[in-house]
């Protein structure tokens, strides 16, 4: 039965009740119960159903009309917004055209060009579309030419930062700036200026090298230009922001293996190793060194640096810097795998205890790399055992010589056993300390003795 409104009942038309003149059969057929049912049905639904239908029709008309009105309103708003956007785009495009035209003005209109460069700096800072449009309108060549044509520092800074912002997130602009000769012009400016450029100009040039070096095709061009020497110098003498930018730029350039040789021409490797410990830059320094040791001459330079291995081993104990541990152990793993002499230097630096600790409490990556280094170090000790010389057998046939050599072997064996015993005791002591620090069960020490015995020979 449909839902009915009892409060809005229209006049009811009931079934006619047969008159008294009707036949008795008709009267009997219309019983009291039938009459009661008709009354209830009429009151419940009969009267309100028509009213409900009228109300529903009115609501439907109102809803349809309202929906149409709302839809038309939304379409009108969208149209107005689209019109505003198109108008704004047209206005912006006119501004960009005017700025590009001012950049290409004659040399006599220097103030107009400087103002245009400042506008490019602002327009390109946060607008990717503006960077594309300005490049298409030819803004890059005049800005590059301003690097060596500027008559004062403010003009130069305006052009440098305009180029910097045009290169943000736009590889095509990065390539166009380098192809336009900006790298060589910036280096020429640094070398020819007497006195050297002030700090603001140096920072702007460092920032440009950082942005331009992010593109792979620019890395060999910048690396071979002499920019690495400038960046290495900026890393030592500039402000904190410029040092960070220079270090990041050097990392970008070190990704290209041919640039490692240019890095090694400076004293950058010893400087970077000695700078480890400053937690703000240590991870970036280690990132540069991972690229340096990827080539043989880079590994040689690191191995020859004073205190290189003690410094790198010390990094392994930085429990609060997992990323630094991962990079340091990677450097050591690569050097241990490639160089026998480096393995001996690592052992002398006391690397074993640090590696053993990392195999238990380091990250999964650090644990795997530490285990590989331990395997390489184990090969060093095996080589020592195999290479023990026996001179008397080949050089002398006399019994006295043979006896002396045998006695010598016995003494060497005794010394070796004593050293092995000391090493094993040291490893077990370190293992107990590691287990205590790692909160392992105490019975783990007993189980770990088999592991420590396998590391002594």
């Amino acid at each position: 039965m449909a839902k009915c409104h009892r409060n809005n009942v229209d006049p009811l038309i009931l079934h006619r009740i047969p008159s008294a003149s009707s036949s008795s059969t008709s009267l009997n057929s219309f019983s009291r119960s039938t009459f009661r049912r008709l009354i209830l049905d009429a009151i419940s639904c009969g009267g309100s159903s028509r009213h409900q239908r009228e109300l529903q029709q009115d609501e439907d008309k109102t809803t349809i009309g309202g929906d149409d009105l709302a839809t038309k309103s939304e379409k009108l708003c969208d149209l107005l917004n689209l019109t505003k956007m198109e108008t704004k785009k047209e206005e912006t495009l006119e501004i960009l055209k005017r700025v590009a035209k001012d950049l290409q003005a004659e040399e006599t209109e220097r103030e107009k060009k400087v103002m245009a460069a400042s506008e490019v700096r602002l327009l390109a800072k946060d607008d990717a579309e503006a960077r594309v449009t300005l490049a298409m309108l030819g803004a890059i060549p005049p800005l590059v030419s301003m690097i060596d044509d500027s008559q004062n520092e403010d003009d130069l800074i305006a052009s440098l930062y305009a180029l910097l912002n045009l290169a943000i997130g736009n590889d095509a602009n990065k390539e166009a700036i380098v192809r336009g000769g900006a790298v060589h012009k910036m280096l020429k400016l640094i070398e020819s200026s007497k006195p050297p450029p002030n700090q603001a100009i140096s920072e702007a040039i460092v920032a440009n090298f950082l942005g331009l070096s992010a593109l792979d095709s620019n890395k060999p061009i910048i690396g071979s230009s002499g920019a690495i020497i400038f960046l290495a110098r900026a890393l030592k003498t500039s402000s904190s922001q410029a040092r960070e930018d220079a270090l990041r730029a050097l990392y970008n350039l070190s990704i290209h293996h041919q640039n490692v040789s240019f890095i090694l021409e400076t004293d950058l490797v010893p400087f970077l190793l000695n700078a480890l410990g400053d937690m703000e830059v240590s991870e970036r320094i280690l990132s540069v060194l991972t690229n340096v040791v990827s080539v043989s001459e880079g590994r040689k330079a690191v191995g020859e640096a004073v205190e290189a291995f003690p410094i790198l081993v010390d990094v392994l104990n930085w429990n609060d810097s997992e990323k630094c541990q991962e990079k340091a152990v990677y450097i050591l793993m690569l050097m241990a795998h490639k160089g026998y002499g480096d393995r001996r230097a690592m052992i002398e630096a006391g690397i074993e205890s640090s590696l053993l600790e990392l195999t238990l409490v380091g990250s999964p990556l650090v644990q795997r790399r530490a285990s590989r280094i331990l395997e390489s170090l184990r090969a060093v000790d095996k080589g020592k055992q195999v290479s023990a010389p026996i001179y008397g057998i080949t050089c002398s046939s006399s019994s006295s010589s043979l006896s002396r050599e045998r006695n010598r072997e016995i003494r060497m064996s005794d010394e070796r056993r004593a050293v092995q015993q000391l090493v094993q005791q040291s490893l077990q002591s370190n293992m107990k300390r590691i287990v205590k620090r790692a909160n392992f069960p105490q019975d783990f020490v007993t189980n770990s003795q088999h592991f420590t015995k396998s590391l002594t020979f």
Side-chain angles (χ1 to χ4, degrees):
M1 180 182 294
K3 185 178 179 181
C4 304
H5 295 269
R6 298 179 181 274
N7 297 329
N8 298 309
V9 180
D10 286 342
L12 306 178
I13 301 177
L14 303 177
H15 292 273
R16 270 182 203 284
I17 302 174
S19 63
S21 60
S22 302
S23 62
S24 59
T25 305
S26 299
L27 183 59
N28 293 333
S29 64
F30 194 84
S31 64
R32 291 180 180 179
S33 62
T34 303
F35 181 78
R36 190 184 303 112
R37 180 174 52 79
L38 291 173
I39 293 295
L40 292 174
D41 289 343
I43 292 173
S44 300
C45 293
S48 62
S49 61
R50 183 178 65 185
H51 182 73
Q52 182 67 20
R53 287 195 300 271
E54 292 176 356
L55 287 176
Q56 186 65 39
Q57 290 174 359
D58 293 340
E59 290 177 2
D60 291 343
K61 291 179 180 178
T62 304
T63 303
I64 293 172
D67 288 345
D68 291 342
L69 183 59
T71 303
K72 290 179 180 179
S73 240
E74 291 178 1
K75 290 182 178 179
L76 181 59
C77 289
D78 292 341
L79 184 60
L80 291 174
N81 291 334
L82 183 61
T83 303
K84 289 180 181 179
M85 291 175 61
E86 292 297 331
T87 303
K88 187 176 180 180
K89 285 183 178 180
E90 291 178 1
E91 293 175 354
T92 303
L93 181 60
E94 292 301 320
I95 293 174
L96 297 178
K97 287 181 179 178
R98 191 258 307 161
V99 170
K101 183 178 179 181
D102 291 346
L103 284 174
Q104 299 168 5
E106 298 293 333
E107 292 298 329
T108 55
E109 300 178 286
R110 185 184 63 83
E111 293 183 0
K112 182 184 290 188
K113 295 181 68 173
V114 174
M115 183 66 68
S118 300
E119 288 186 86
V120 170
R121 176 182 179 180
L122 295 176
L123 291 168
K125 183 178 180 181
D126 299 313
D127 191 342
E129 292 184 3
R131 296 174 201 137
V132 176
T133 305
L134 285 167
M136 293 176 63
L137 293 172
I140 291 177
L143 287 171
V144 172
S145 66
M146 288 178 65
I147 295 176
D148 50 7
D149 293 340
S150 298
Q151 300 180 6
N152 58 61
E153 294 177 353
D154 293 336
D155 300 354
L156 183 58
I157 290 176
S159 62
L160 287 172
Y161 279 106
L163 289 170
L164 175 65
N165 290 347
L166 283 173
I168 295 175
N170 192 305
D171 290 346
N173 287 358
K174 288 183 176 71
E175 184 178 1
I177 292 170
V178 172
R179 190 171 59 246
V183 172
H184 297 284
K185 287 180 179 292
M186 288 188 290
L187 292 175
K188 182 179 178 182
L189 173 67
I190 295 168
E191 295 169 355
S192 62
S193 297
K194 295 181 180 181
N198 63 23
Q199 183 174 339
I201 295 176
S202 296
E203 290 178 354
I205 294 175
V206 171
N208 269 278
F209 280 136
L210 170 59
L212 298 175
S213 63
L215 184 63
D216 287 342
S217 61
N218 286 345
K219 289 178 172 60
I221 300 173
I222 298 174
S224 60
S225 68
I228 290 177
I229 298 175
F230 163 71
L231 292 172
R233 185 167 64 247
L235 185 60
K236 304 172 186 177
T237 60
S238 300
S239 64
S240 59
Q241 182 61 51
R243 287 200 302 270
E244 183 178 347
D245 290 345
L247 188 57
R248 293 170 62 192
L250 287 167
Y251 169 73
N252 289 341
L253 295 173
S254 67
I255 294 174
H256 185 67
H257 288 176
Q258 294 181 0
N259 286 337
V260 173
S261 60
F262 300 116
I263 292 175
L264 298 179
E265 291 177 0
T266 67
D267 61 345
L268 196 58
V269 168
F271 175 81
L272 293 177
L273 287 168
N274 291 324
L276 284 174
D278 183 353
M279 300 304 293
E280 294 183 0
V281 296
S282 290
E283 184 179 347
R284 187 72 61 181
I285 289 174
L286 291 167
S287 298
V288 175
L289 292 175
T290 57
N291 292 331
V292 170
V293 298
S294 62
V295 299
S296 59
E297 54 185 338
R299 291 191 294 273
K300 182 180 179 182
V302 172
E304 292 176 351
V306 179
E307 297 296 314
F309 292 108
I311 292 172
L312 291 171
V313 170
D314 186 54
V315 177
L316 300 182
N317 300 320
W318 294 355
N319 296 326
D320 57 342
S321 180
E322 185 177 291
K323 292 294 184 182
C324 288
Q325 286 182 341
E326 290 178 354
K327 289 178 171 58
V329 77
Y330 173 79
I331 295 170
L332 291 166
M333 180 185 69
L334 199 59
M335 298 189 70
H337 177 69
K338 298 292 185 179
Y340 181 86
D342 293 337
R343 298 176 211 167
R344 296 178 60 187
M346 291 177 196
I347 294 173
E348 293 174 359
I351 195 175
E352 294 100 333
S353 60
S354 297
L355 293 175
L356 286 172
E357 182 172 354
L358 290 177
T359 57
L360 296 175
V361 298
S363 68
L365 181 59
V366 169
Q367 289 178 358
R368 291 194 298 270
R369 290 174 175 174
S371 297
R372 293 187 62 181
I373 298 175
L374 285 172
E375 291 176 2
S376 299
L377 299 182
R378 183 177 180 180
V380 173
D381 289 333
K382 282 185 177 180
K384 288 181 180 178
Q385 289 182 351
V386 172
S387 60
I390 303 176
Y391 299 105
I393 295 177
T394 56
C395 298
S396 175
S397 58
S398 64
S399 60
S400 59
S401 298
L402 183 59
S403 177
R404 285 195 301 269
E405 293 301 329
R406 286 178 177 176
N407 292 333
R408 182 182 177 185
E409 288 180 24
I410 293 173
R411 288 196 303 271
M412 290 178 63
S413 299
D414 292 339
E415 292 173 358
R416 187 179 295 113
R417 282 194 296 270
V419 170
Q420 288 177 2
Q421 185 177 2
L422 290 174
V423 171
Q424 185 172 352
Q425 291 174 354
S426 176
L427 289 174
Q428 290 177 353
S429 176
N430 289 331
M431 184 66 71
K432 291 179 182 178
R433 178 175 55 84
I434 293 168
V435 169
K436 184 178 180 181
R437 183 185 296 183
N439 294 322
F440 285 127
Q442 191 62 30
D443 57 357
F444 184 81
V445 178
T446 304
N447 297 330
S448 63
Q449 289 179 352
H450 298 288
F451 179 67
T452 55
K453 287 180 180 179
S454 65
L455 295 175
T456 55
F457 313 99

